[in-house]
Amino acid sequence: MAKDFSLRFLLLCAFCVKLTVAVADEGMWVPMFLAKYNEADMQSKGLKLSADDIYSVNHASLKDAVVQFGGGCSAELISGEGLIFTNYHCGRSRVQSHSTLEQNYIEKGYWAMNRSEELSNPGLTVTFLVRMEDVTSEILKNVLPGMTEVERYTAIDKTSKQMEKKMVEDTHYEAKVKEFFGGNEYYIFITETYKDVRLVGAPPVSIGEFGGDTDNWMWPRHTGDFSLFRIYADSLNNPAEYSPNNKPYKPKKYFEVSMKELKEGDFTMVFGFPGRTQEYLTSYAVKQLVEEEDPLKISIREKRLAVMEKAMDADPQTKLNLHSKYAGIKNYYKKFIGESIGLKKVDAVQRKQELEKQFTEWLNANESRKTKYTNLLPELEKTYAEFAPYNKGVVLYNEAFTTLDFVTYVNSFAKLSDLLKKGVKREVLSVEVEKHTKYMRSFFKNYNQSLDLESAKHQIKAIINYMPEILTEKQKKKYRKDNEKYITTLFSGDLLDSLKSVATLNALIESEGPAQEGGGGKNKSDIVKSENGFGAYDLAFQFVSTVTQNFKEYVYPNYVKLDIKLDSLNRIYTQALREFQTDKLFYPDANSTLRLSYGKIEGYAPNDSVVYTPFTTIDGLIAKENPNDKEFIVPAKLKELYEKKDYGQYAVNGTVPVCFIASNHSTGGNSGAPVLNTQGQLIGTNFDRNWEGTAADVMYDPAMARNISVDIRYTLFIIDKFAGAKYLIDEMTIVR
Ligand code: ARG
Ligand code: GLU
């Protein structure tokens, strides 16, 4: 106990001292404000560029070489012919979709040896930021004093939509207004999206995911988490749907690739699309996250993963089908654990409480502040307490209900059902049935009913035990009598039988609607209508629709009401904090918009006597090899290169660097983002964080937060020496 206390004390104090010196590494900065807030600081730390070189609307700048990849990741341009790097785990589902058991690119990797071998990926897009503008005053001009929160939202939404439309009239651009600082500020983003993005290369999973889930979110790391894609454009270099006539995209800007020496202390920056952080939460919210929300998600996912593992181990096709999905669930399962540990380790709740105490003293010292904000914290505390049970309900619904395959599937039927209840034109119905049939085919292609049933047993129990009111009395009775049997019978109906489903749909189009007025009895009417909708006879259908309906009726409205109230209180609190801490430079929480973080290559010390250095090498990778553990298999070719020390130009001191850590503030969404040196040259691709450091999504601690990157020299080594695709490297601009 005593030891534990002194360790915590040490950590706490380490933070007190470091706060003033190291805090500059914290922050995800807004590109258009770099000149105003960050340029001087960055240059003092080594940056050789100006803010204008990084973000400009007047000429090509680094921002033109960064894209949001597939909606959730980042990627960077590395050649004049549209070539981009992202992470292996960002491209993985595409590699999977081109794979079969006979031609398994997950296992073997994939390398296009010329342009014609590059594989197209329907639905995959990359998005450039064209420009951004601060539109706070225009957006807030229709928000009037005394408006309720809902009225405020409605006014903002209306103004935003008008502005978004006007800004991109007669262009192929898109515009989106986004809120910053919890709704105290609003910026508009003009973007351009390319829709023909082809797979160029990906290493085998044994390199792209080396270390698997054991090493995920961990340092030291030896993962070659990269893949290559190419953007294609029409003959005018504009976005176009896939066409064999499309040409490689000619970028305004691409990154030079640096093979220069790297060492501890070197300045680095990460330029990407971080998804979501919540740095300005109160202690009440953090407490709820650590004590309730994270543990709940962890427990649901744990069971879900165990069921999946069993099915994957039993059948190779299932293993291939579920590869990406499993990794995705496990990834955040492990993140939630790390976040809880990390937040406890940095005493997040206690530190927030301390801040709130100081804040209250500051309030009380001044009459006008006191009147303005006096009830704010007590009101937040009370509202979080009211919010907790509904939030738990929503977490359960999202994690344990809508994640069941049959629920998603039945919900697609529910759309048809609603149309039928209202009455629908036969032509419209045909179109909808066709859409659904298409979806149904892809659904049944990979549907694993026994797996879904096993997951349902755990998940449905979790949700019903917490919210029995979402069932009807009749369902409850059956459920109580024998819950296992009840859940099993849900899977026995017609809807989950693909053949019968198709027959039912055909019957639906052919069905007779109500007799037309004055018509002669037997004619089919133009309108098809059915009082009971569709599928009402089916147990799964009944179950999914009652649960959904009751959830939407009893749980969700309360959740939304309190969530809106919390949004409003948090907005005011964020504003008040900015008035309170006038000497602190505030940055807005991540919201999937382009941001720049900067820091330096540095190790860290997570525990008493444990000190990590910032670089790993191929020697460390080989030392981790374990042929009996699927996560630590080293492909024979890589082993051979290692044994012959055949490192070519990528050798550094007799080895090859593999990964490095740095103190750049990052989060989910920064995956695939370029990691840059003082001259804006590419030195790595960001792909992860250290486990304790994931707490930085809620509280950044400079002693603990590190981003993990794959060293560009390892990436080049794999492309050239392992894959024999040197022609790709020749396409890049390498600087030494
Ligand atoms: N943790 C990283 C991220 O959040 C990498 C995940 C991919 N790797 C894996 N073993 N699941 O996306
Ligand atoms: N791997 C993460 C991603 O997909 C980045 C890791 C993090 O959360 O920082 O974006």
Side-chain angles (χ1 to χ4, degrees), residues 239-268:
E241 297 294 340
Y242 168 82
S243 153
N245 300 328
N246 286 347
K247 304 261 178 301
Y249 167 72
K250 299 250 177 281
K252 292 190 198 68
K253 185 90 190 170
Y254 62 87
F255 289 107
E256 292 175 337
V257 175
S258 167
M259 297 245 304
K260 290 173 200 162
E261 186 200 359
L262 289 179
K263 50 184 192 320
E264 177 143 31
D266 281 356
F267 174 90
T268 57

Side-chain angles (χ1 to χ4, degrees), residues 62-77 82-86 125-129 192-194 197 229 231 249 251 253 255 271-273 594 669-674:
L62 297 191
K63 77 127 171 57
D64 299 312
V66 184
V67 288
Q68 188 167 35
F69 180 92
C73 281
S74 306
E76 57 274 14
L77 268 301
L83 194 62
I84 57 176
F85 273 136
T86 185
T125 59
V126 294
T127 300
F128 288 88
L129 172 64
E192 183 178 33
T193 296
Y194 282 79
V197 183
F229 286 78
I231 309 171
Y249 167 72
K253 185 90 190 170
F255 289 107
F271 205 12
F273 292 84
L594 185 63
N670 274 125
S671 268

Side-chain angles (χ1 to χ4, degrees), residues 268-385:
T268 57
M269 43 187 187
V270 170
F271 205 12
F273 292 84
R276 183 166 182 249
T277 57
Q278 310 174 78
E279 308 287 347
Y280 307 110
L281 290 178
T282 55
S283 62
Y284 327 115
V286 178
K287 196 161 189 278
Q288 210 170 89
L289 182 73
V290 181
E291 289 177 7
E292 296 176 37
E293 194 173 318
D294 275 346
L296 179 62
K297 288 183 185 163
I298 292 164
S299 76
I300 298 169
R301 285 186 182 220
E302 195 159 79
K303 298 203 181 88
R304 210 175 148 202
L305 288 163
V307 172
M308 289 175 87
E309 260 159 52
K310 219 171 129 190
M312 287 165 82
D313 284 344
D315 172 41
Q317 185 65 51
T318 308
K319 186 174 169 219
L320 175 62
N321 293 346
L322 293 180
H323 182 87
S324 282
K325 188 172 175 180
Y326 177 86
I329 301 167
K330 182 111 182 197
N331 187 33
Y332 269 77
Y333 160 77
K334 194 167 175 185
K335 193 236 164 183
F336 298 139
I337 298 177
E339 183 173 87
S340 304
I341 295 174
L343 286 171
K344 283 181 199 148
K345 198 162 190 150
V346 300
D347 285 300
V349 174
Q350 198 186 321
R351 268 157 63 182
K352 291 277 184 185
Q353 283 167 345
E354 188 55 40
L355 177 72
E356 285 152 17
K357 209 174 118 208
Q358 289 165 9
F359 173 79
T360 309
E361 280 163 15
W362 170 80
L363 276 193
N364 291 339
N366 171 306
E367 269 315 307
S368 82
R369 290 202 293 254
K370 208 167 147 182
T371 358
K372 199 166 153 199
Y373 295 126
T374 196
N375 251 326
L376 189 54
L377 283 173
E379 197 59 25
L380 271 160
E381 180 170 20
K382 190 178 123 228
T383 314
Y384 271 108

Side-chain angles (χ1 to χ4, degrees), residues 436-454:
H436 179 83
T437 312
K438 214 172 135 197
Y439 163 72
M440 189 158 82
R441 284 209 189 91
S442 69
F443 178 86
F444 282 115
K445 209 174 115 204
N446 283 331
Y447 184 52
N448 186 331
Q449 184 157 323
S450 61
L451 172 74
D452 209 21
L453 170 61
E454 283 313 302

